[in-house]
Amino acid sequence: MVGLYYGSAKLPVRFPLYIGMVALARYLILDMKAMDDWRMLAVTASILMLTLAVLIIRYGHLRYPYPDDEAGAEMRHANEIGK
């Protein structure tokens, strides 16, 4: 991630969110028998909040891309043609 940041001057925020979702899902699967109901709901709610954060970031990146982001511009152009 650090190498990608220095190479492109863009901070990839979604990758740590994906890693957090996978880590929480593994924690939920492996320790399900030892968890009480409230802890299980809390972990599930945490995964849901991370998912919503990813969706908001993806929407923001699609709607307001970086000024020199060619891939985002091509994607927006394709979406406009499809409408």
Side-chain angles (χ1 to χ4, degrees):
M1 249 176 61
V2 173
L4 182 65
Y5 173 70
Y6 283 123
S8 67
K10 298 175 188 170
L11 184 62
V13 176
R14 287 186 303 180
F15 295 137
L17 294 176
Y18 292 141
I19 292 168
M21 286 189 300
V22 170
L24 286 171
R26 288 182 68 192
Y27 173 67
L28 185 66
I29 290 168
L30 294 176
D31 292 340
M32 187 181 291
K33 291 182 181 179
M35 283 189 201
D36 59 344
D37 294 338
W38 289 108
R39 182 173 294 238
M40 197 177 308
L41 285 173
V43 172
T44 306
S46 301
I47 294 170
L48 180 63
M49 286 184 354
L50 288 174
T51 304
L52 292 174
V54 168
L55 288 174
I56 290 169
I57 290 171
R58 286 182 59 119
Y59 174 75
H61 184 71
L62 184 64
R63 184 82 170 143
Y64 307 106
Y66 294 112
D68 58 342
D69 189 12
E70 305 242 348
E74 291 175 9
M75 188 180 299
R76 275 192 325 280
H77 181 67
N79 286 339
E80 288 174 3
I81 292 175
K83 288 183 180 178

